[in-house]
Amino acid sequence: MSNPVRLGFTGLGSRGGSLLESCLSMSDVEIAAICNRSDERREQILARVADAGRPSPSTFTDHGTMLSAANLDGVVISTPWTDHVPMAIEALEAGVYVGLEVGAASSVEECWELVHTAERTGTHCMFLENTCYFRDCLAIRNMIRAGLFGELVHCRCGYGHDLRSSLHRTDASGESLAWRGRQNRHRNADLYPTHGVGPMAKVLDVNRGNRFVSLTATATKSAGLAAYAEENLDPDHPAAGIDWAIGDVITTVLRCANGETLTVTHDVSLPRPYSNMFHVQGTGGIWKRTFESLSGGEVKTESAIYLEEESPGHEWEDFAPYQTGHEHSVWEAYLEAGVKNGHGGIDYLTLRDYVRHVKRDARPPIDVYDAAAWMAVTPLTEDSIALGGEPVSVPDFTNGAWMTTEPPVGEPAHEMTADLDL
Ligand SMILES: NC(=O)c1ccc[n+]([C@@H]2O[C@H](COP(=O)([O-])OP(=O)(O)OC[C@H]3O[C@@H](n4cnc5c(N)ncnc54)[C@H](O)[C@@H]3O)[C@@H](O)[C@H]2O)c1
């Protein structure tokens, strides 16, 4: 496709705005349409697009209307979670390639509906899980493919992020909790599994020779959010005195068809620094993130490794030399050209991979089956917790195709370097 890719953006809050900002620097992308409920926000975005010297996009307040009127190649959806799947389905029905922001599914049924709609329409949906593009996670995938970890046995991951202040925010009325707080008020589940599960599912070849079979989930009591409100909110604040459903720390163990386990932790209601808690372990050695810092658009990480064949004694080694020794070619090119802002550069890489696949109308590296299997962790943990930690089955959203799909589908391809538009 020689013409620019015509993208629409639905949901232009903090995330949608920053994704659109990343696209403004891409010469092969036209910001063709924007859709947001707030007049003020649409005006802000139009001003930003004009400042960047780009043509003014059409504006909409309704996603469906935008899909039928704007002649889009792709649409990036960054709305609150309950709208994600219904909006993605509307776009698939309209033949528009979906870029879907991450979030919790409302039910397993809606995950099936997403998969069935993509299959019936033949339209693609890429799940924009930016953490899959972390520099260290891609190097680890290279090392696993090279056999350095032997046979994989166990992985760990999570979402540790102090959200106490943002979960107490109110909506535009000022009288009720905003959408994310509402989810935490009413659901006891791992509400944000995919930042951790995504990269580890890639490591474990989930949906490509492996799959999640079942999970158990256990929640602690809920104490952190109430303690925060007591300390920080006026007693007449709409979010004061809430009886929160969400447990402070939710621990899930996913079991894979090939016998590995993946432990996932959801931890957003207690004071703590940010962490994705990555850990990969096999018969040949072990890797884990030891330090993570997320501030503004910057991400800093350190990690440690022990490989039986290479590391001295039984001592952890700094991962840095292994990182450079096993760098993914996309990151080699990216580092040379200059890494762009947005979660340490991963936001831009994710969007570039999306645009690259929209241009070719090709199956994306993080596809509708990944989206379904990873997002379904939320309602499945909700069920398991409600059953006192009983195991629940994870559906095979691929309907058996995981047994014959080769692992390389799902890798950010090395040809992507030519397409980075740096
Ligand atoms: N991948 C990441 O690193 C990352 C980071 C932050 C947020 N997110 C995800 O991005 C999504 C949005 O998060 P956010 O923090 O920007 O939320 P937000 O509340 O700041 O923004 C949501 C926007 O959607 C608009 N909106 C709501 N309903 C709409 C509708 N029916 N039609 C059109 N617009 C509508 C709202 O007006 C608002 O501007 C969430 O799914 C979140 O999980 C991902």
Side-chain angles (χ1 to χ4, degrees), residues 9-17 19 35-38 41 60-63 77-81 83-84 87 101-104 128-131 159 169 178-180 192 195 343 346-347:
F9 291 80
T10 297
L12 288 155
S14 57
R15 184 62 181 164
L19 293 176
C35 171
N36 205 66
R37 279 184 176 155
S38 145
R41 187 63 177 151
F60 299 87
T61 52
D62 178 67
H63 177 68
I77 298 170
S78 314
T79 48
W81 300 334
D83 287 325
H84 279 199
M87 284 181 167
E101 248 312 336
V102 302
L128 301 177
E129 185 41 272
N130 47 349
T131 59
Y159 183 63
R169 273 187 212 136
W179 63 269
R180 196 156 179 173
Y192 216 45
H195 279 339
H343 289 120
I346 57 174
D347 292 355

Side-chain angles (χ1 to χ4, degrees), residues 153-170:
V153 174
H154 177 64
C155 295
R156 294 180 205 163
C157 63
Y159 183 63
H161 196 177
D162 181 351
L163 296 180
R164 290 173 300 162
S165 152
S166 61
L167 293 181
H168 282 94
R169 273 187 212 136
T170 50

